[in-house]
Amino acid sequence: MSSKTIQIIGSLNIDLVTRTPRHPNPGETLTATSFTYGPGGKGANQAVACARLSRSKNQQQQHAPTSSSSSSNLNSNSTITIKMTGAVGSDFFGTYLLDSLKSNSVDTISISQTPDTKTGTAVIIVEESSGENRILITAGANGSVSPESIKPSLESLPNLIILQLEIPLSTVVSIIELAKAKCVDVLLNPAPAVPNLPRDVYKGLKHLIMNESEAAILSSSLGSEAPTSDEKREMGKGDVVRATDPNDNMQDLCTRFHTLGVTNVIVTLGAKGVYYSSSENGGSGHVPAAKVETVVDTTAAGDTFVGAYAVAVVGGGGAGGGKGESERLEGGKVEEAVRWANRAAAKTVEREGSMGSIPWGDEVG
């Protein structure tokens, strides 16, 4: 099987994590249970998720690279190369992040260390009683990621580009336009969601993965007008798939994005599971949440889901391999990818931490 490449373009942060019995009320001071720091950022987490979930834990331990390993030696345990593109500061945290990614078989050659800039940070408060979290992000070096700084890394085209919204929006839009021009599939995880995302972003977008709150923000900015005839023609069909109760409302939401040109729309629903819809062959439906023994920390669940889904649609690794190129993905295979990503995310929430909680491919049933 020929080697494939997933390129993640996005944020790299240091997570500053405080665990507490409950979230404090406004003006209230609580004594926390613990404090830790570690590598994170949605971009970095999704890169590690792709790398781990396309590899087995045992083989990775046998071939684990050192921090000085060249990028060409980082992917001997998978048919998928995982490439991270972004920026960190020229500080301790920046070097720490690069070493962490390399140790997880992520190619870091297109990550720049910007002088006189701090590495991005995420302050995370985890409520122990529920596992739910609250997060505050400071962009730091992530704010310096520009279209000009990204273009050299795209000279060799990947099979799939993954994007989030923790780098400048203008950069995200520019990358999507460039990818479309070069016929490269894009997976957009619009987090954190922004109102009034340009409609051109959706036209020709292959994969859109969002949670309920992100879906609400994005759909509300679309207005209530009916789709135009041009938008309907983008789908190659008039009406999209028809779901039955109790999923009609969710399908209506997905339909709005299909009419704008998105092929595969996935909405993660937390403990309620996932709803997916594909305009390629009319596949859609609700996938229940995978069984979780005990919820410990939900911080990296969404990023794990994105990484697992990406590995499944590109084909290879822990998902079982051989699923074929993403441009030939059909509705049934979208469901397969969603179910496997669901199981991977369930493993993640049973563990403490963000990047460190992400499972390897052979740990997901």
Side-chain angles (χ1 to χ4, degrees):
M1 184 183 297
S2 61
S3 178
K4 299 168 185 174
T5 301
I6 298 175
Q7 182 168 355
I8 299 87
I9 303 175
S11 59
L12 299 108
N13 292 330
I14 286 295
D15 289 344
L16 307 174
V17 184
T18 300
R19 300 183 67 82
T20 177
R22 62 176 176 82
H23 291 303
N25 295 317
E28 182 183 20
T29 300
L30 294 178
T31 299
T33 303
S34 65
F35 170 80
T36 58
Y37 70 87
K42 294 194 72 64
N45 284 342
Q46 290 174 13
V48 169
C50 288
R52 288 191 175 191
L53 290 161
S54 60
R55 292 158 172 78
S56 70
K57 184 176 183 178
N58 290 337
Q59 289 177 320
Q60 171 64 16
Q61 290 174 339
Q62 294 171 6
H63 303 287
T66 64
S67 61
S68 60
S69 298
S70 66
S71 60
S72 61
N73 295 326
L74 294 178
N75 299 286
S76 58
N77 178 29
S78 177
T79 60
I80 304 180
T81 295
I82 309 302
K83 183 177 181 181
M84 179 72 213
T85 303
V88 296
S90 297
D91 51 20
F92 166 78
F93 284 147
T95 302
Y96 175 68
L97 265 168
L98 292 174
D99 289 346
S100 297
L101 291 170
K102 290 175 184 177
S103 70
N104 283 284
S105 293
V106 176
D107 186 329
T108 63
I109 197 169
S110 58
I111 298 175
S112 62
Q113 281 194 282
T114 59
D116 304 319
T117 306
K118 299 293 185 183
T119 298
T121 58
V123 177
I124 304 172
I125 301 177
V126 180
E127 185 177 65
E128 292 178 310
S129 60
S130 65
E132 296 295 329
N133 62 73
R134 297 180 182 180
I135 304 174
L136 290 171
I137 295 172
T138 302
N142 295 309
S144 69
V145 179
S146 65
E148 293 71 25
S149 68
I150 296 297
K151 286 180 181 178
S153 72
L154 292 172
E155 290 179 359
S156 178
L157 297 178
N159 297 84
L160 178 70
I161 293 174
I162 300 178
L163 291 162
Q164 322 79 32
L165 299 182
E166 289 186 342
I167 58 175
L169 180 59
S170 59
T171 301
V172 174
V173 173
S174 178
I175 295 167
I176 291 175
E177 292 174 350
L178 179 62
K180 290 176 183 176
K182 294 181 178 294
C183 299
V184 176
D185 286 347
V186 174
L187 186 163
L188 177 62
N189 175 219
V194 295
N196 302 315
L197 193 65
R199 286 196 174 205
D200 286 346
V201 165
Y202 301 114
K203 187 175 181 180
L205 186 66
K206 191 70 172 183
H207 310 282
L208 179 65
I209 299 180
M210 51 195 166
N211 64 26
E212 280 184 287
S213 62
E214 292 154 0
I217 292 171
L218 294 182
S219 63
S220 66
S221 68
L222 297 179
S224 58
E225 68 272 17
T228 65
S229 57
D230 286 340
E231 289 173 336
K232 285 187 175 182
R233 280 195 294 271
E234 284 296 325
M235 300 180 59
K237 309 173 183 181
D239 296 327
V240 293
V241 291
R242 296 172 176 81
T244 58
D245 289 335
N247 296 319
D248 283 343
N249 289 340
M250 192 58 64
Q251 183 59 47
D252 287 345
L253 183 146
C254 292
T255 297
R256 302 186 72 188
F257 292 103
H258 285 318
T259 58
L260 293 174
V262 182
T263 302
N264 300 307
V265 182
I266 293 92
V267 184
T268 59
L269 307 170
K272 295 179 289 184
V274 182
Y275 192 90
Y276 75 93
S277 179
S278 175
S279 64
E280 286 186 318
N281 72 345
S284 67
H286 174 259
V287 175
K291 182 179 180 181
V292 175
E293 295 297 331
T294 302
V295 176
V296 176
D297 189 343
T298 62
T299 303
D303 294 331
T304 299
F305 184 96
V306 169
Y309 177 90
V311 167
V313 299
V314 168
K323 290 186 180 298
E325 299 288 352
S326 58
E327 61 265 23
R328 295 195 297 270
L329 189 68
E330 298 176 352
K333 291 185 179 179
V334 172
E335 182 178 354
E336 291 176 19
V338 167
R339 289 187 182 279
W340 192 69
N342 224 7
R343 296 196 296 274
K347 286 288 185 183
T348 297
V349 303
E350 294 177 338
R351 304 170 176 180
E352 184 175 331
S354 53
M355 188 178 289
S357 68
I358 298 170
W360 296 86
D362 57 345
E363 294 180 306
V364 181

